[in-house]
Amino acid sequence: MILRKALRLPLVLVVVTFLSFLLLNLLPGDPALQILGGSATEEARAQLRAQLGLDDPLFARYASWLGGLLTGDLGTSYVTSIPVLDALADRLPVTLELLVAAELLALALAVPLAVAAARRAGGAIDQGLTTLSFGLLSTPVFVLGVVLILVFAVKLKALPATGWTDFSVDPYWNLLSVLLPAVTLAAGQLAVYSRLLRTDLIATLQEDYITLARARGLSPRRILWRHALRPSAISLITAIGLNMGALIGGTVIVETLFGLPGVGRLIVESIFARDYLTVQGGVVLISVGYVLVNFAVDLVYAAVDPRIRRA
Amino acid sequence: MPRRAALRRLGWGFWASAAWVVLLVLAAALADLLPLHPYDRTLAGPPQSGPSPAHPFGTDGLGRDMLSRVVYGARVSLGVGIGAVLLGLLIGAPFGLVAGYRGRLTDAVIMSVNDIALAFPALVFALAVVAFAGASMRNVLIVLGVLGVPAWTRLIRGATMAFAGREFVTAARALGARDRRILWREIVPNVALPASSYAFIGMAVAVVAEGGLAFLGLSVQPPTPTWGGLINEGRNIMETAPHVVLAPSLVLFVTVLAFNLVGDRLRALTDVREIGLEPGRRRAALPPLPAAEHDVEPALLQVADLRTHFETARGTVRAVDGVSFALNRGRTLAIVGESGSGKSMLIRSILGLLPAAGVRRGGKVYLEGREIGDLEPEDLREILGTRFAAVFQDPMTALNPVRTIGAQVMEPLRVHLKLTRAAARARAADLLASVGIPDPVRMLKRYPHQLSGGMRQRVTIAMALSCDPDVLFADEPTTALDVTVQDQVLRLIHRQREERDMAMVLVSHDLAVVAQWADEVIVMYGGKVVERGPAAALFEHTRMPYTEALLQAIPALSDPSHKRLRVIQGRPPDLAAPPAGCRFQPRCPYARERCASEEPPLVRAETRDHLYACWYPLGTEAAAAEEAEIIEGTESRGR
Ligand code: SF4
């Protein structure tokens, strides 16, 4: 299975980058005009067209663009005159910190909740968790973020509403500034993970080896954590990878809402500044990152389930 | 499922949600006819004023009526939500139907394209496409619709596959119905329920996605209000007028919740009930069944009037219905019967390994004269761990697939005997060696899937023996094994039983095995004991016709192996509605009228300790006398 995925990886990457590349072709009218704006001279536009190779055949353009991508050249923004790669590298750490914090928060809460719910399926904790996750699943990120800001920043004044403090500047303030955004992002993941894990745990608990573990006089706690959790975690791990897409989409909104200087906000700002090369670069970065994360998740499988290692 | 029951199962949440969706759709469609302020008239009321009779949702920063803006915003949200789902369905369903129905290569091609399509971070792509192609309702709808296609294809394919293999479809195919006809007449209606469930979930997803885009300013542009746009506007005046942001937030939340709930309830129509490790609600545990009067014997293990009934939709299933026996050290008790006779459930009932919900139990289990039913959980676990041990039928499922053999064999030693890690490891290796596993130290590092079935069963036996149990429960320990290793494993168990002076309860459907190894035998039929006694007496002076039938079903060793399973005519009884009188009566060749009306009690034969439940036991005067009677009046037989 791993081998098949490894063989497919390059294909997926080609498709993903090709689609990102095609984005520029969606621009209505003359792309050079759109990129440079109405005030640009005819020579400048002709030069850009030549540079972007807009007059060449599509695949030739893609090949040269891909070559640039592989050598780390995503072009230079016509709006800010900053190389796109530098702008992205500058913003990436913030987004990564946000993603990791949200993911850890979601898992740290989802696993114990799912275990407690599966132990007594249909019990009070289980029903509470079902209701909670249903509510969280139905709360769009921007709604939850707005409500959290309203409660914790505006009313209680306990946390900063917006803004970012770098970890190297002040670790404590850094944690405070990532807290609300991370909670906002984590909520939806928490709902997905806990429901999924709970269902898989309940299925695992019907297995013979669990019945035999009970017959050996092991405690419910031990059976759940040591015997049932790992065989049940497979779909959870897949979900972590697949949900990364939703999570990254969420960062765009959360970074905008909380004013964090991450990749997502860069993309949104660039859209409004008509800085199309930066938008394109951000999309490539995110989609390639997403594909790679999912591939890494498949590798984690093998560590969790020895049966897969064979393949 | 009867339609009435299905509708009731949907619950009030479903109907409230459906009502909200209908209300919202009507309001959005008829917004122009409703007595609302125009959504864009500034100073319709004082700016930033809270909810009032004139403006139920208050007004925004420019004094525009929020209720009107939210209602008009619903046009965009619902329009995109419903439109995107329909578009995704329209493109995805044909692919899914064809992939699921055709299978093989068609399926492989469609699904790998689909997998690649799923490997995109959807929202970021939607964002980028809208950014480049221009923010308009049409573009948003198309992008969200297309992004929904892979999920639709996958869902429809799965549902189609599930039905394409069912009898009615296979039958239609065999009758030569054309493919297209089968798809339309047989499969499409059956796929409709999962599809409509997913349609609502998909609408929730699309509404949220559109809201996100609108929040970023990338959906329909002002002055047309959108929910996401309203929330974005409102957050700037959150401190002075929180209602401006809260009103659209609340409506959006309720709408998404309603879509999700409707979808979830529809899906749940096909769900099965889930059972956890312990009862969900303590109070919901069913009260125990009363146990009959009995004396406590000085035996090692005594089971008295044990009952296990399951409450199911079809009624009470009496899986174990009043079983009693006593067993001493050094003896092997065999429990025999067809599958479904309750013999495995008997073992699980003794060990307390029943499902957490829907069970009523009754009767007592004594270990050395002490009742174990009312012990604290910790004390009961101590007994389960050190005094009782169990081996199950299928070694493929008896070991945890993701833990090493070592971790599993060492665990009881560490937990119950409190051994150190090193001591437990040494002891585990000894145990494995004692059950005939070569190279035990290396075996400790292996995983179950690397072992053959016979080796795995030896491992489970080693685990069962690890804490020196007094009673070993072996539930069909060799049935799932290769014929060549069956005998080895039985010999191993028997030798261990003798060496350790244990008592053993051996469950089997194979009387040849029982005859060879058992000291005492219980024959179960339909959850009840129908004959019980010392092995020799029971086999030589069989009283109960069912036991005789089982004995006749023993394959002769000379038979070729594929002919070895001879079965008894008829089916085992339905335990939810057992036949009146003797439960074996519908299949019994000796049955008479009395058998259908009165249930025979368990009575003592003239041989010591031999009990049977039959009105006309074999080889006795009662049967012979009636036999003669019937031969004289042949017409009373009816046929
Ligand atoms: S009681 Fe009647 S039906 Fe039952 S086993 Fe005896 S003879 Fe057969």
Side-chain angles (χ1 to χ4, degrees):
Chain A
M1 191 194 77
I2 299 280
L3 192 69
R4 229 183 58 216
K5 299 237 172 183
L7 288 176
R8 218 181 61 190
L9 181 66
L11 182 62
V12 176
L13 284 176
V14 166
V15 177
V16 168
T17 51
F18 184 65
L19 287 182
S20 315
F21 163 78
L22 276 186
L23 285 175
L24 269 180
N25 285 39
L26 290 173
L27 285 177
D30 177 8
L33 185 69
Q34 291 283 333
I35 290 175
L36 292 177
S39 60
T41 61
E42 182 57 41
E43 296 89 79
R45 274 155 53 189
Q47 200 195 338
L48 176 63
R49 260 203 301 275
Q51 195 185 334
L52 292 177
L54 288 179
D55 307 321
D56 301 340
L58 191 66
F59 283 96
R61 273 154 55 202
Y62 172 62
S64 76
W65 177 81
L66 192 63
L69 182 66
L70 290 177
T71 53
D73 177 13
L74 289 166
T76 301
S77 160
Y78 292 94
V79 179
T80 60
S81 303
I82 301 171
V84 171
L85 194 71
D86 293 355
L88 290 173
D90 202 36
R91 301 292 193 97
L92 190 58
V94 175
T95 302
L96 285 182
E97 182 180 339
L98 180 60
L99 282 176
V100 171
E103 206 65 71
L104 289 181
L105 206 60
L107 285 174
L109 289 172
V111 174
L113 280 175
V115 169
R119 177 164 176 176
R120 298 178 197 280
I125 296 181
D126 188 26
Q127 288 183 346
L129 181 69
T130 305
T131 311
L132 174 79
S133 53
F134 221 88
L136 289 180
L137 274 181
S138 305
T139 315
V141 173
F142 50 98
V143 169
L144 182 64
V146 161
V147 172
L148 287 179
I149 291 180
L150 195 60
V151 173
F152 289 99
V154 176
K155 295 280 181 240
L156 300 178
K157 304 206 185 313
L159 290 163
T162 56
W164 176 257
T165 311
D166 214 67
F167 190 81
S168 56
V169 176
D170 187 333
Y172 175 69
W173 277 99
N174 173 263
L175 284 183
L176 281 192
S177 59
V178 84
L179 186 61
L180 273 192
V183 169
T184 308
L185 264 187
Q189 310 299 104
L190 169 65
V192 174
Y193 296 167
S194 58
R195 272 168 66 111
L196 205 68
L197 183 58
R198 163 200 173 275
T199 307
D200 283 354
L201 272 170
I202 287 173
T204 304
L205 290 178
Q206 317 303 321
E207 296 278 349
D208 265 1
Y209 56 84
I210 298 294
T211 309
L212 279 166
R214 286 169 64 198
R216 250 169 257 134
L218 302 175
S219 66
R221 178 191 299 256
R222 195 179 182 90
I223 290 175
L224 281 162
W225 287 95
R226 300 249 183 124
H227 293 244
L229 186 56
R230 212 146 65 103
S232 312
I234 303 283
S235 2
L236 177 66
I237 293 171
T238 326
I240 293 176
L242 287 178
N243 263 292
M244 201 56 87
L247 198 63
I248 292 173
T251 60
V252 177
I253 290 167
V254 165
E255 285 172 5
T256 307
L257 177 57
F258 288 92
L260 307 185
V263 175
R265 189 159 143 236
L266 178 69
I267 293 178
V268 174
E269 285 168 355
S270 305
I271 288 174
F272 288 108
R274 298 177 160 272
D275 186 352
Y276 292 110
L277 284 185
T278 308
V279 176
Q280 191 184 35
V283 172
V284 171
L285 175 74
I286 286 179
S287 13
V288 170
Y290 174 74
V291 170
L292 291 180
V293 163
N294 272 292
F295 182 66
V297 163
D298 289 336
L299 296 181
V300 172
Y301 256 20
V304 173
D305 193 335
R307 286 167 296 184
I308 295 170
R309 253 174 255 165
R310 269 182 307 180
Chain B
M1 182 186 325
R3 179 158 299 172
R4 184 80 59 77
L7 291 186
R8 204 172 327 113
R9 262 182 76 186
L10 288 169
W12 64 269
F14 172 85
W15 296 110
S17 305
W20 171 261
V21 172
V22 170
L23 187 77
L24 203 65
V25 170
L26 286 179
L30 307 175
D32 294 330
L33 305 177
L34 295 175
L36 292 168
H37 298 267
Y39 62 81
D40 54 351
R41 186 202 290 156
T42 53
L43 291 178
Q48 299 195 14
S49 61
S52 64
H55 305 286
F57 284 5
T59 59
D60 72 357
L62 297 173
R64 291 177 293 197
D65 180 53
M66 281 306 292
L67 177 62
S68 163
R69 292 178 70 72
V70 169
V71 169
Y72 277 92
R75 289 188 156 183
V76 177
S77 291
L78 295 181
V80 169
I82 296 171
V85 162
L86 289 181
L87 184 63
L89 177 65
L90 219 60
I91 307 176
F95 284 120
L97 278 174
V98 169
Y101 183 68
R102 282 314 223 11
R104 286 191 289 269
L105 188 65
T106 320
D107 183 42
V109 170
I110 292 182
M111 287 325 283
S112 23
V113 173
N114 208 56
D115 276 356
I116 293 179
L118 272 177
F120 287 112
L123 199 75
V124 176
F125 252 81
L127 185 89
V129 170
V130 173
F132 280 91
S136 68
M137 182 153 164
R138 193 199 58 176
N139 284 355
V140 170
L141 193 155
I142 292 177
V143 166
L144 294 182
V146 170
L147 285 172
V149 167
W152 272 114
T153 307
R154 175 170 292 261
L155 178 99
I156 302 275
R157 168 198 178 247
T160 309
M161 279 193 146
F163 286 104
R166 295 262 179 97
E167 299 94 24
F168 59 92
V169 174
T170 335
R173 265 180 154 169
L175 287 174
R178 297 240 331 272
D179 281 4
R180 184 188 306 237
R181 234 178 94 92
I182 298 174
L183 273 176
W184 277 114
R185 297 281 297 276
E186 312 286 356
I187 294 185
V188 169
N190 284 306
V191 174
L193 183 66
S196 56
S197 154
Y198 184 71
F200 285 97
I201 310 253
M203 284 184 211
V205 171
V207 166
V208 170
E210 190 279 331
L213 290 173
F215 177 81
L216 295 171
L218 290 170
S219 183
V220 184
Q221 296 297 305
T224 310
T226 60
W227 288 348
L230 292 177
I231 294 172
N232 189 32
E233 286 164 27
R235 74 191 170 103
N236 297 316
I237 49 172
M238 210 153 43
E239 301 204 24
T240 47
H243 68 271
V244 179
V245 74
L246 286 180
S249 297
L250 188 67
V251 172
L252 175 55
F253 168 71
V254 172
T255 306
V256 175
L257 186 68
F259 277 133
N260 277 333
L261 244 163
V262 170
D264 184 74
R265 294 284 89 207
L266 287 178
R267 185 191 52 74
L269 285 181
T270 54
D271 267 2
V272 287
R273 192 155 64 141
E274 294 167 317
I275 299 174
L277 199 56
E278 291 170 86
R281 271 163 286 178
R282 274 168 223 259
R283 258 173 296 134
L286 298 166
L289 299 159
E293 291 274 318
H294 56 269
D295 298 325
V296 179
E297 296 172 35
L300 174 64
L301 175 72
Q302 186 191 352
V303 170
D305 199 27
L306 202 68
R307 286 166 201 274
T308 303
H309 295 178
F310 293 95
E311 302 298 343
T312 70
R314 291 175 46 243
T316 305
V317 172
R318 296 153 189 267
V320 177
D321 207 14
V323 173
S324 306
F325 66 82
L327 182 63
N328 277 315
R329 217 172 263 288
R331 312 275 293 171
T332 295
L333 166 70
I335 298 175
V336 293
E338 293 163 290
S339 49
S341 61
K343 52 197 199 309
S344 291
M345 202 43 74
L346 172 63
I347 299 286
R348 280 163 210 244
S349 307
I350 296 172
L351 295 173
L353 302 177
L354 297 172
V359 187
R360 271 190 92 176
R361 33 208 311 195
K364 311 263 188 226
V365 176
Y366 300 90
L367 178 65
E368 288 173 342
R370 189 177 54 160
E371 217 235 296
I372 63 169
D374 50 12
L375 289 177
E376 289 298 309
E378 299 89 82
D379 300 328
L380 185 60
R381 288 206 294 270
E382 189 64 27
I383 289 180
L384 284 177
T386 58
R387 314 278 317 258
F388 291 163
V391 175
F392 280 4
Q393 174 171 354
D394 189 354
M396 296 298 168
T397 57
L399 293 170
N400 193 322
V402 304
R403 307 179 81 216
T404 59
I405 301 296
Q408 302 193 52
V409 181
M410 282 159 64
E411 188 172 33
L413 299 169
R414 306 251 302 142
V415 170
H416 292 299
L417 306 186
K418 310 275 184 289
L419 295 189
T420 64
R421 185 174 292 275
R425 188 184 308 276
R427 180 77 169 273
D430 289 348
L431 275 166
L432 291 184
S434 77
V435 294
I437 290 180
D439 202 357
V441 177
R442 256 197 37 223
M443 186 61 77
L444 291 177
K445 294 201 190 71
R446 295 234 172 138
Y447 286 95
H449 70 263
Q450 298 168 314
L451 275 58
S452 69
M455 278 297 148
R456 286 195 205 191
Q457 196 63 308
R458 284 172 194 266
V459 171
T460 63
I461 292 167
M463 290 166 77
L465 299 175
S466 59
C467 296
D468 266 319
D470 297 309
V471 189
L472 177 65
F473 295 87
D475 185 357
E476 306 257 11
T478 58
T479 311
L481 298 181
D482 213 60
V483 194
T484 48
V485 289
Q486 285 189 357
D487 195 52
Q488 294 173 19
V489 169
L490 279 168
R491 255 172 228 291
L492 168 71
I493 295 179
H494 186 71
R495 201 183 63 229
Q496 295 285 346
R497 213 265 300 122
E498 294 206 315
E499 279 173 12
R500 294 166 187 261
D501 197 26
M502 296 184 292
M504 174 150 89
V505 179
L506 174 68
V507 172
S508 182
H509 67 273
D510 186 347
L511 277 190
V513 166
V514 171
Q516 192 175 359
W517 304 109
D519 302 304
E520 291 153 56
V521 177
I522 284 180
V523 180
M524 280 186 80
Y525 187 78
K528 286 188 173 268
V529 176
V530 293
E531 186 154 14
R532 182 182 118 188
L538 194 127
F539 286 132
E540 276 157 37
H541 308 285
T542 305
R543 290 280 182 261
M544 168 74 191
Y546 177 60
T547 314
E548 182 190 52
L550 280 178
L551 281 169
Q552 285 167 352
I554 296 186
L557 278 174
S558 52
D559 283 355
S561 62
H562 62 269
K563 274 188 67 183
R564 284 180 72 167
L565 269 183
R566 247 183 282 156
V567 278
I568 305 171
Q569 289 271 310
R571 286 216 209 147
D574 175 2
L575 292 177
C582 173
R583 290 184 184 183
F584 189 52
Q585 166 260 323
R587 303 164 74 185
C588 179
Y590 308 97
R592 321 238 175 108
E593 259 163 55
R594 187 183 190 184
C595 303
S597 53
E598 282 176 81
E599 189 171 351
L602 202 56
V603 294
R604 202 164 290 278
E606 55 281 13
T607 334
R608 236 185 100 244
D609 292 335
H610 185 173
L611 304 172
Y612 62 87
C614 178
W615 292 124
Y616 307 107
L618 305 167
T620 61
E621 313 233 313
E626 299 235 0
E627 200 91 28
E629 217 171 278
I630 281 174
I631 287 163
E632 277 160 30
T634 330
E635 75 280 4
S636 73
R637 273 198 167 185
R639 240 169 298 172

